Amino acid sequence: MKKTFLCACLAIAAALAGCAGTDVGGLGANDSELEAPPVGIEDGGTQYLYSEITEEYFEAEIGHKVYFAVDQSAITEEIAFTLDRQAGWLLENPNYDALVEGHTDEQGTREYNLALGARRANSVRDYLIDKGIAGNRIRIVTYGKERPESLCSDEACWSANRRAVTVLTERIVI
């Protein structure tokens, strides 16, 4: 019985594999209506697959960082695009909360940059709340210029450091 079942499964798998590249009803193998291939990260030639319900997927496919202009905390169209994706993911995954980190470049005083980082984190938080995420699921922290992403004293580094980062945390329900 087990052998017959295994043979039947293998036959079905072989038949499906043979149909993978065919055009059915006008949909070719590369058309956007077909299911997307598995998502992965390559590391030294090895591909590691990850689920859509992981921090890795959120960072790589949704986008966990948004970048701001000098002395700005306003949500631009480009920032909104990423935050809309974050909000959609958070709505689909209620078992995750978010910590929004506000960061700045090295210019300005420590106090000014802590306040600017807080404004950036709050802007992201407020936007996500407006998109339907419960306020109790989003915390903020400001690091100001204390945790730079890039270390150098020119615009290339400064622009990389003017950011807000959404970090996922698993929701603990008591």
Side-chain angles (χ1 to χ4, degrees):
M1 176 75 171
K2 287 182 184 179
K3 187 175 182 182
T4 304
F5 178 73
L6 180 60
C7 289
C9 289
L10 290 173
I12 291 171
L16 290 174
C19 296
T22 60
D23 189 5
V24 179
L27 296 178
N30 293 324
D31 288 342
S32 62
E33 291 86 30
L34 293 179
E35 191 172 317
V39 181
I41 306 171
E42 290 196 18
D43 179 24
T46 305
Q47 187 173 22
Y48 299 95
L49 297 181
Y50 51 83
S51 166
E52 291 183 5
I53 308 175
T54 64
E55 291 88 351
E56 293 85 5
Y57 179 86
F58 184 82
E59 290 177 13
E61 300 299 321
I62 301 301
H64 68 298
K65 296 178 187 176
V66 293
Y67 296 93
F68 292 88
V70 177
D71 296 326
Q72 295 296 310
S73 60
I75 303 298
T76 64
E77 191 174 306
E78 185 176 343
I79 291 170
F81 177 79
T82 300
L83 296 181
D84 287 342
R85 292 170 51 90
Q86 288 182 12
W89 192 93
L90 287 165
L91 286 169
E92 291 176 6
N93 296 281
N95 54 324
Y96 282 92
D97 290 341
L99 171 66
V100 180
E101 302 174 346
H103 299 271
T104 66
D105 61 35
E106 68 184 54
Q107 303 173 89
T109 66
R110 182 176 187 274
E111 293 77 19
Y112 177 81
N113 284 319
L114 286 171
L116 179 57
R119 286 194 304 275
R120 289 175 175 165
N122 274 314
S123 290
V124 169
R125 180 182 188 275
D126 292 345
Y127 189 91
L128 293 173
I129 289 171
D130 287 346
K131 292 297 178 176
I133 308 302
N136 66 345
R137 291 183 59 198
I138 308 168
R139 296 177 296 124
I140 67 157
V141 64
T142 180
Y143 291 115
K145 60 183 176 180
E146 304 302 321
R147 293 189 178 186
E149 184 170 285
S150 295
L151 292 172
C152 65
S153 292
D154 64 29
E155 183 55 34
C157 290
W158 293 335
S159 63
N161 293 331
R162 294 190 288 261
R163 69 196 189 283
V165 180
T166 303
V167 179
L168 296 177
T169 58
E170 283 199 60
R171 185 165 203 163
I172 300 171
V173 180
I174 300 175

